[in-house]
């Protein structure tokens, strides 16, 4: 069964940087648009960023624009999330997933396609 594998989380001080990685066995990530999501206890999972299948388009939550960058290395079958200038409110468990891009009245978002593919996530903790 396909399962996403996230890594690269850790504990940093505000203003620091981390790079998250995501891969999956038996799932070519470049066959899909891919998204990064995050969740804190008691809250719903929220979309952070997405990269379209073509790799030509990206999307970011307003809260991370200008600080985070999503990318993909097809040769390594790995999705990345470069996170700079981290803030305490970025503290969360981060997940990646194949997603489908949706056009809405407020812009584009990428909704997860396969709920059974969720991995364990990687924890990011930012201290002030």
């Amino acid at each position: 069964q396909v399962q996403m594998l996230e890594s690269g989380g850790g504990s940093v001080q505000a203003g620091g940087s981390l790079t998250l990685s995501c891969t999956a066995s038996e799932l070519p990530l470049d066959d899909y648009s891919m998204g990064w999501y995050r969740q804190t206890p008691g809250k719903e999972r929220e979309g952070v960023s997405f990269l379209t299948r073509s790799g030509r388009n990206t999307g970011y939550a307003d809260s991370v624009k200008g600080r985070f960058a999503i990318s993909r290395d097809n040769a390594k079958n790995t999705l990345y999330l470069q996170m700079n200038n981290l803030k305490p409110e970025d503290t969360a468990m981060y997940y990646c997933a194949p997603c489908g891009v949706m056009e809405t009245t407020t812009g584009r978002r990428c909704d997860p396609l396969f709920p059974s593919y969720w991995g364990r996530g990687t924890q990011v903790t930012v201290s002030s």
Side-chain angles (χ1 to χ4, degrees), residues 73-88:
D73 186 329
N74 294 337
K76 295 182 178 179
N77 199 38
T78 301
L79 181 75
Y80 301 99
L81 186 68
Q82 174 67 44
M83 306 187 297
N84 298 320
N85 190 22
L86 282 161
K87 302 177 180 181

Side-chain angles (χ1 to χ4, degrees), residues 17-127:
S17 298
L18 285 172
T19 300
L20 306 185
S21 299
C22 161
T23 189
S25 61
E26 303 178 14
L27 182 74
L29 300 189
D30 58 352
D31 274 0
Y32 299 93
S33 295
M34 292 294 301
W36 282 101
Y37 305 84
R38 66 187 181 187
Q39 189 172 24
T40 54
K43 293 189 177 181
E44 290 190 0
R45 197 160 358 208
E46 65 170 351
V48 175
S49 179
F50 68 85
L51 176 70
T52 58
R53 178 181 176 184
S54 68
R56 288 194 291 268
N57 299 102
T58 59
Y60 297 92
D62 288 343
S63 59
V64 306
K65 279 180 182 176
R67 300 188 298 120
F68 290 12
I70 191 171
S71 62
R72 185 180 64 211
D73 186 329
N74 294 337
K76 295 182 178 179
N77 199 38
T78 301
L79 181 75
Y80 301 99
L81 186 68
Q82 174 67 44
M83 306 187 297
N84 298 320
N85 190 22
L86 282 161
K87 302 177 180 181
E89 51 264 42
D90 295 319
T91 295
M93 188 71 79
Y94 284 72
Y95 304 85
C96 64
C99 59
V101 178
M102 305 286 291
E103 299 285 349
T104 73
T105 56
T106 57
R108 304 174 92 185
R109 70 170 195 260
C110 207
D111 292 342
L113 290 173
F114 312 115
S116 64
Y117 286 10
W118 288 114
R120 295 184 176 182
T122 187
Q123 177 67 39
V124 172
T125 303
V126 185
S127 58

